[in-house]
Amino acid sequence: MTEIKTEILFPKEVISRRVGELAGRISRDYDGRELLLVGILKGAFIFMADLIRGINVPCRVDFVRLASYGCSSQSSGKVRITKDLETPIAGRDVLIVEDIIDTGLTLSYLVKVLREREPASLRVCAFLDKKERRQVPFDADYVGFTIPDGFVVGYGLDFNENFRFLPDVCVLHDIA
Ligand code: PRP
């Protein structure tokens, strides 16, 4: 088996500082309101756990899970919800929390679906953004780091369900 090499892209201290900055901005923007954070499983679970502990307005949480049709490495452009929210969002301030934006297909679909449920507001906070990979236009309201194309793992992100536990964000080299 070929050994997979990892190289640290963002060490945990850098991540922690940036997540704190995002949480500070979100706290200021939603001052006096109550937020519903919607995490996209599975990748967002660590980012969301850190983010929520830095936000100083009251937050509730819920989760969705989405899947793309067809081959996992090459998206066909069709997305569906495999686990929906348990919370009605009409009239609520909703912030979607995502680990990474790649083609933009997942978030553009989810935003469209959730908008139809008439939240008071709907924004997106993404930890990583691979802007150059977009297939559909999509801009998040809050972004941790913009990164170039390349396979990144750790801090919730996986390769074949491995590496989510790594505290740093790492780039994978020599993957077949
Ligand atoms: C990844 C990531 C985003 C999505 C982004 O999820 O967590 O949800 O892909 O890709 P897109 O912008 O091209 O739509 P994945 O399907 O790998 O599931 P996971 O979160 O369980 O790892």
Side-chain angles (χ1 to χ4, degrees):
M1 197 177 114
T2 321
E3 195 195 335
I4 296 175
K5 294 198 187 84
T6 61
E7 178 194 347
I8 294 178
L9 180 62
F10 300 120
K12 59 179 185 294
E13 299 78 12
V14 171
I15 295 171
S16 172
R17 201 178 319 131
R18 185 67 186 129
V19 173
E21 287 169 3
L22 290 175
R25 271 187 52 203
I26 292 166
S27 301
R28 285 192 292 281
D29 290 353
Y30 290 91
D31 187 29
R33 289 145 76 184
E34 184 187 280
L35 259 178
L36 174 68
L37 297 192
V38 170
I40 305 184
L41 294 170
K42 301 177 189 172
F45 79 109
I46 293 180
F47 175 47
M48 182 148 143
D50 283 345
L51 189 70
I52 197 169
R53 286 177 291 176
I55 295 175
N56 61 19
V57 300
C59 293
R60 297 182 184 208
V61 296
D62 204 342
F63 296 91
V64 288
R65 184 145 171 71
L66 297 118
S68 304
Y69 291 103
C71 168
S72 59
S73 61
Q74 204 63 46
S75 177
S76 59
K78 289 189 182 135
V79 181
R80 71 196 157 94
I81 293 176
T82 56
K83 184 231 170 288
D84 204 339
L85 291 174
E86 293 166 9
T87 318
I89 62 167
R92 286 191 180 281
D93 289 311
V94 176
L95 181 63
I96 299 171
V97 180
E98 174 65 299
D99 58 341
I100 187 164
I101 315 175
D102 188 6
T103 63
L105 291 164
T106 301
L107 276 169
S108 53
Y109 172 78
L110 183 63
V111 164
K112 181 172 139 299
V113 168
L114 295 191
R115 249 194 211 124
E116 286 165 5
R117 301 181 190 179
E118 302 185 336
S121 68
L122 182 61
R123 286 185 181 176
V124 173
C125 178
F127 175 58
L128 300 175
D129 190 353
K130 277 189 192 171
K131 278 194 191 299
E132 66 193 62
R133 291 261 310 160
R134 284 296 193 285
Q135 289 178 18
V136 290
F138 191 87
D139 285 316
D141 302 277
Y142 307 93
V143 173
F145 302 99
T146 298
I147 59 168
D149 195 13
F151 216 104
V152 286
V153 296
Y155 200 66
L157 291 107
D158 76 308
F159 172 63
N160 286 345
E161 293 299 326
N162 294 311
F163 305 111
R164 291 194 199 272
F165 64 92
L166 294 176
D168 310 305
V169 170
C170 299
V171 178
L172 285 192
H173 297 292
D174 302 332
I175 52 171

